[in-house]
Amino acid sequence: MPRNALLLVSRLLLAALFVPSGFQALTNIAGTTSYFAGLGLPLPTLAAWGTGLFELIAGLLILVGFQTRIAALLLAAFSIAAGFIGHYGQGADDATLAFMHQQMLMKDIAIAGGFLALAMAGAGTWSADGRSVGIGAEVT
């Protein structure tokens, strides 16, 4: 498969996780706030709005391939932070829950790896970055 097609598929698959997640967080602020409060985060309502907006906007940037390198780096850092905040050490009283949270943590780490690869490769020519003059969507 050509490089630009793979980069497009990569962007679509990564965005498919963050765009719906951000939308869901924003359309269920009460549930998202409750989840963050349960994690012991300060200002859980602000965290819910900020997380939802970040996931939605950054996911859309990845989807269309605009400012892809920056968005990918931010989403890589976000994935690592979210994994450790939301899953590290969770479910210790229940072996099944502990296993699930460990798997979710590893998933977040793997997603960060995908974003780092995308940050290095760029969005490709089939993207807003690739159509912009002077941004340099291709790394040679």
Side-chain angles (χ1 to χ4, degrees):
M1 185 179 278
R3 180 179 193 274
N4 289 310
L6 283 174
L7 287 170
L8 174 61
V9 171
S10 297
R11 292 193 344 261
L12 292 172
L13 292 173
L14 288 165
L17 179 63
F18 285 89
V19 172
S21 179
F23 182 77
Q24 183 179 16
L26 293 172
T27 57
N28 184 10
I29 285 294
T32 307
T33 299
S34 177
Y35 174 71
F36 287 149
L39 291 174
L41 293 180
L43 304 171
T45 304
L46 182 61
W49 279 103
T51 298
L53 286 170
F54 176 75
E55 287 182 334
L56 180 62
I57 293 168
L60 289 171
L61 290 173
I62 294 295
L63 181 66
V64 300
F66 181 71
Q67 296 295 316
T68 305
R69 294 175 192 273
I70 295 168
L73 287 172
L74 291 173
L75 281 163
F78 175 84
S79 295
I80 296 290
F84 278 97
I85 291 169
H87 301 297
Y88 183 75
Q90 299 293 326
D93 296 339
D94 181 332
T96 302
L97 281 177
F99 175 78
M100 182 208 62
H101 281 290
Q102 179 66 27
Q103 294 300 306
M104 298 297 282
L105 172 61
M106 297 311 294
K107 171 202 56 93
D108 288 340
I109 291 169
I111 291 167
F115 278 123
L116 291 175
L118 186 60
M120 186 175 73
T125 56
W126 299 349
S127 67
D129 288 347
R131 297 190 186 285
S132 299
V133 177
I135 290 183
E138 296 291 331
V139 174
T140 56

